[in-house]
Amino acid sequence: VGSEMCIRDRVEAPVWNVGDKWVFDREGPIEVVGCHAQWYSVKFSGGIFSKDASGIAIFERSTLNINYMLERDQRKEYKGFRKKILNFPLTLGKQWKDLYQRDDTVGGEMVAADYRETFRVLGWEEVDVRAGKFKAIKLEYKIETSVRRGIGWIPHGESKAWYWYSPEVKNFVKCQYEKGY
């Protein structure tokens, strides 16, 4: 299946099933605990979304965008980082953006922070990780931060990370962060 997808240079959203589970080196595991015609419920732990957080995320089935988090059995719109990191279908050169805002502490001061995310599909690579060797599509993730000072927004830096998605695994098999990320 993976090589067929490479020929077409278009990767569609995978089909996840209840019980599918992925274990990562640095963050806790994620496991599909529910399927519906339009979404997947995914149990996560160990900081996948935010530091040391755990819970259930709702992924849109067709794009794998993260739309909601369950909080005490109530759906709450997810407005955090990388909610559109997988924005299927993936095609070579495809680029998309997202924005989220939150109050953050910068230099000991509480300020409004603006996070502009840019995602870009770079191409296919062979990736060798502890779990094995995989044909994967490489994504670049860039985040630009601005903070509100007085009446304007002031740039506060940018950083990048790269992610390798494997159709065979149906998830990421590798990530690499720029120094200082």
Side-chain angles (χ1 to χ4, degrees):
V1 171
S3 61
E4 182 181 312
M5 290 182 187
C6 295
I7 294 168
R8 294 184 285 148
D9 286 330
R10 179 182 174 95
V11 178
E12 299 294 338
V15 174
W16 288 351
N17 299 294
V18 171
D20 285 352
K21 184 176 185 177
W22 298 271
V23 178
F24 303 97
D25 280 348
R26 292 189 191 108
E27 288 94 11
I30 65 172
E31 181 178 357
V32 179
V33 294
C35 293
H36 182 272
Q38 280 89 31
W39 50 262
Y40 297 109
S41 297
V42 178
K43 185 176 182 180
F44 66 93
S45 62
I48 290 286
F49 295 102
S50 59
K51 187 176 172 56
D52 300 326
S54 61
I56 294 183
I58 307 296
F59 287 72
E60 183 179 324
R61 197 174 180 136
S62 62
T63 63
L64 286 192
N65 289 173
I66 305 153
N67 290 344
Y68 303 98
M69 291 290 180
L70 283 185
E71 292 184 11
R72 293 182 290 293
D73 294 331
Q74 296 291 314
R75 282 186 183 193
K76 185 174 179 187
E77 185 179 355
Y78 178 63
K79 296 182 181 180
F81 67 103
R82 296 187 304 219
K83 75 178 188 178
K84 292 185 177 183
I85 192 164
L86 286 172
N87 193 29
F88 287 98
L90 300 176
T91 56
L92 296 181
K94 180 178 176 178
Q95 183 171 301
W96 60 99
K97 296 178 183 252
D98 199 19
L99 167 70
Y100 71 97
Q101 297 175 318
R102 71 174 188 214
D103 292 336
D104 244 336
T105 305
V106 176
E109 178 186 358
M110 185 61 79
V111 296
D114 197 29
Y115 298 91
R116 295 184 183 281
E117 300 175 306
T118 304
F119 306 89
R120 189 166 50 118
V121 177
L122 300 177
W124 290 94
E125 291 185 5
E126 192 82 22
V127 178
D128 197 0
V129 294
R130 283 193 338 205
K133 192 177 272 193
F134 302 95
K135 184 92 172 160
I137 195 162
K138 184 178 182 181
L139 296 147
E140 178 186 75
Y141 169 67
K142 181 171 80 171
I143 185 164
E144 299 169 273
T145 306
S146 299
V147 294
R148 183 151 191 119
R149 297 271 193 224
I151 60 169
W153 290 91
I154 299 169
H156 192 65
E158 74 174 54
S159 57
K160 289 183 181 178
W162 296 268
Y163 296 87
W164 286 262
Y165 172 84
S166 167
E168 178 185 354
V169 174
K170 302 181 190 178
N171 214 316
F172 293 113
V173 291
K174 180 180 176 180
C175 65
Q176 178 182 340
Y177 299 99
E178 180 178 71
K179 187 178 180 182
Y181 178 85

